[in-house]
Amino acid sequence: MDIRSIDTSFLTWTGDTLALGLYEDQVEMTDQLGQLNDLLSGLVEELVTESDFTGKIGTTAVTRVGVNTPVKKLILVGLGKEEDAKPHTIRTAASSIARAAKGQKSQTLAISLPVVDSAASTAGVITEAVILTLHQDTRFKSEPDSNGIKLQTVELLGLGDQEKAIEVASKICSGVILARELVNGPANTVTPLTMAETAKEIASTYGLEIEILGQQECEALNMGAFLGVAKASELPPQFIHLTYKPQGTPVRKVAIVGKSLTFDSGGLNLKVGGGIETMKMDMGGGAATLGAAKVIGQLKPNVEVHFICAATENMISGRAMHPGDILIASNGKTIEINNTDAEGRLTLADALVFAEKLGVEAIVDLATLTGACIVALGDDIAGLWSNHETLTHQIQNAAELAGEKFWAMPMEDKYFDGLKSSIADMKNTGPRAGGSITAALFLKQFIKDTPWAHLDIAGPVWTEKEGGTNNVGATGFPVRTLVNWITGQEIVF
Ligand code: BES
Ligand code: MN
Ligand code: ZN
């Protein structure tokens, strides 16, 4: 699919499908819309009336124009009230258009949407929405989908020359799609070893440095928490460290740490309560980390970024860690394992210690960490904890721009009481109540004084319903937030 910007007005564009965005309360046959209505002998007005189209955000009205006509099909999409318009309005509208065009089996599509913020960012958002909405992961089907997407070209009207913005947005999408594919990939295809292979491929394609630590190297670094989780797996753990260094002096030096459990059975505290069949998604944090690395390798911002994934499986075997075991993390802290299913925080503990030793200015970890976070915030919103107010605001701004949802959660130190152990420095699991908060407090024990944010993404990495730019399955959340944050929200379109 080719996306480009062209100068043509929607009044003179010819092709398969023309899509127009209209604000609520402005669906009137005046100005250019009136001219189009005249050109089409009153068809626009009829479509609006017959489909009760009022311009509500994301709604569409679709009609066939004719057979041998300059335009074959027309899509109207609602933009909501003009005074409420945000970049996310354009994203919603563009993804509605993409779905409608898919339904119409459109081959060429022209999109005319108003500028919100700048023409460049509007073009970027439309590109992102079209690519991500139409992305379907068909790698595991033996036959091609007969309902597949027919769209060959998408032309953006009225935004000037936006080739650069379109190119940047396409690169960002390549990282989101990588993250989706990694999360969709089942545990018999996405393993610690294949994640390391993916990281190596990113390194060699885009010129990043790569370091992969195997079991022995992790032992030498005393990563007892990570290795405790890895013990029962037949597959070797892989501690992945990718480094992007800009050409000049970096303005910042940061680390991204992603939870990378390629499967979480729960360990000896086996997931008997349900949900085990979804636990291929438990490397969603690592998938987004590698997705972001792929984007950063292409955009080449002036920021040094370390991408870290402590990849393993949480399995059962005669070698498995026992409930009651005491593990020693690489910062010397001792952990009593009162539940082997709280494994993500153990792998992250050593990864955070490793990240802090790199002397970075900020660390962001992202993890499908707790069911409790889903209970608190639902499927679409991730939890955000931080020891640093400015970092919190940076992440919130980056997320707002990306249209990805986070909610700042309390780092309530008093709740650490729930993790107190009589025999070790802490237990790995607190009481049921406030389970996502005690998980964050556990991680905090492995950060000394670096500004740090923890993103619990257990809900939004996966969806069972299509909506917005998501299709059923992995969403690629929150690659775009990470990219926006790393580039300091200064992507030059
Ligand atoms: N990977 C899970 C969390 C999870 C649950 C992610 C549902 C996505 C969907 C994590 O390792 C886990 O098992 N957490 C436990 C923690 C508990 C034992 C304290 C949980 O949330 O039940
Ligand atoms: Mn678990
Ligand atoms: Zn897990």
Side-chain angles (χ1 to χ4, degrees):
M1 187 175 61
D2 186 24
I3 304 183
R4 55 185 178 233
S5 54
I6 58 168
D7 267 341
T8 318
S9 147
F10 70 73
L11 290 169
T12 50
W13 185 82
T14 62
D16 186 330
T17 305
L18 172 65
L20 301 179
L22 298 173
Y23 283 116
E24 213 172 322
D25 307 331
Q26 293 183 27
V27 189
E28 285 148 21
M29 298 307 127
T30 53
D31 304 328
Q32 286 211 313
L33 191 63
Q35 287 178 44
L36 183 71
N37 189 43
D38 292 344
L39 274 172
L40 300 179
S41 329
L43 185 96
V44 183
E45 191 165 18
E46 198 171 281
L47 173 63
V48 165
T49 316
E50 288 189 351
S51 58
D52 289 328
F53 179 82
T54 57
K56 277 212 171 50
I57 179 82
T59 57
T60 52
V62 184
T63 186
R64 178 168 263 283
V65 175
V67 183
N68 282 320
T69 41
V71 171
K72 284 191 188 156
K73 296 154 211 155
L74 177 67
I75 300 173
L76 303 180
V77 63
L79 300 170
K81 299 227 163 31
E82 186 171 7
E83 61 267 29
D84 300 335
K86 294 192 188 70
H88 194 60
T89 309
I90 298 300
R91 185 176 288 113
T92 306
S95 82
S96 293
I97 291 171
R99 280 190 208 289
K102 179 177 149 190
Q104 295 299 312
K105 305 208 184 307
S106 305
Q107 295 186 354
T108 61
L109 169 68
I111 297 181
S112 173
L113 289 171
V115 169
V116 174
D117 280 3
S118 71
S121 65
T122 303
V125 168
I126 297 173
T127 303
E128 227 175 72
V130 170
I131 294 175
L132 295 178
T133 305
L134 296 182
H135 166 248
Q136 284 177 321
D137 193 349
T138 55
R139 293 170 302 149
F140 300 100
K141 298 273 192 194
S142 61
E143 301 279 342
D145 184 359
S146 55
N147 278 327
I149 289 141
K150 308 274 188 298
L151 208 53
Q152 282 152 10
T153 52
V154 178
E155 295 181 320
L156 311 188
L157 310 184
L159 300 175
D161 176 6
Q162 298 301 347
E163 293 312 306
K164 182 85 182 102
I166 293 168
E167 194 187 314
V168 169
S170 308
K171 287 173 176 169
I172 293 173
C173 290
S174 75
V176 178
I177 288 171
L178 173 64
R180 286 182 178 181
E181 289 183 341
L182 285 169
V183 173
N184 282 335
N188 61 344
T189 68
V190 175
T191 67
L193 284 168
T194 68
M195 280 190 77
E197 286 305 321
T198 303
K200 282 184 205 161
E201 212 173 292
I202 294 169
S204 64
T205 310
Y206 305 109
L208 280 72
E209 290 170 21
I210 181 133
E211 176 188 28
I212 310 251
L213 311 179
Q215 169 149 351
Q216 284 172 4
E217 286 112 325
C218 293
E219 272 164 14
L221 291 172
N222 299 313
M223 294 186 175
F226 172 46
L227 292 174
V229 176
K231 259 172 88 183
S233 174
E234 293 287 333
L235 305 173
Q238 301 277 285
F239 190 99
I240 303 163
H241 174 206
L242 262 172
T243 309
Y244 164 75
K245 284 188 177 151
Q247 297 262 295
T249 317
V251 290
R252 303 201 263 172
K253 192 173 160 182
V254 302
I256 307 286
V257 178
K259 173 175 170 181
S260 303
L261 267 292
T262 58
F263 189 71
D264 177 13
S265 73
L268 287 174
N269 291 104
L270 196 62
K271 288 192 178 288
V272 287
I276 192 171
E277 69 285 353
T278 68
M279 280 301 132
K280 67 173 184 184
M281 72 159 94
D282 213 17
M283 31 60 75
T289 300
L290 295 182
K294 181 168 180 170
V295 180
I296 294 303
Q298 295 174 80
L299 296 185
K300 305 203 184 298
N302 205 11
V303 183
E304 179 173 319
V305 195
H306 296 264
F307 301 93
I308 296 164
C309 302
T312 186
E313 302 180 305
N314 186 23
M315 298 296 280
I316 48 173
S317 85
R319 289 196 311 265
M321 67 175 170
H322 318 88
D325 280 1
I326 296 172
L327 303 180
I328 310 176
S330 45
N331 65 348
K333 296 216 171 157
T334 60
I335 306 157
E336 179 188 2
I337 306 304
N338 58 337
N339 192 324
T340 60
D341 199 10
E343 84 299 334
R345 60 196 76 181
L346 298 169
T347 64
L348 290 169
D350 283 326
L352 291 173
V353 171
F354 183 95
E356 193 164 37
K357 280 195 210 141
L358 298 168
V360 292
E361 287 145 83
I363 302 173
V364 174
D365 82 65
L366 51 153
T368 49
L369 203 62
T370 65
C373 196
I374 307 179
V375 173
L377 299 176
D379 289 325
D380 299 342
I381 306 173
L384 160 60
W385 286 259
S386 180
N387 61 359
H388 197 270
E389 214 174 304
T390 310
L391 180 56
T392 302
H393 291 144
Q394 285 175 358
I395 301 278
Q396 284 170 328
N397 291 338
E400 166 76 34
L401 209 64
E404 294 178 323
K405 290 182 182 150
F406 288 85
W407 193 255
M409 298 284 278
M411 189 76 88
E412 184 63 38
D413 285 317
K414 184 78 180 69
Y415 287 2
F416 190 72
D417 288 350
L419 289 170
K420 288 222 165 108
S421 162
S422 54
I423 187 164
D425 295 345
M426 67 194 95
K427 297 191 278 199
N428 73 328
T429 310
R432 220 173 112 79
S436 65
I437 302 178
T438 45
L441 288 168
F442 179 92
L443 297 179
K444 194 173 172 223
Q445 308 311 305
F446 301 90
I447 294 283
K448 280 193 233 147
D449 43 27
T450 307
W452 156 73
H454 158 58
L455 316 177
D456 193 331
I457 59 171
V461 291
W462 187 268
T463 180
E464 289 297 336
K465 49 184 194 303
E466 70 171 39
T469 54
N470 290 333
N471 292 303
V472 174
T475 59
F477 187 97
V479 170
R480 289 178 303 112
T481 296
L482 293 177
V483 170
N484 289 347
W485 177 67
I486 292 167
T487 56
Q489 301 123 73
E490 290 177 335
I491 298 176
V492 189
F493 280 117

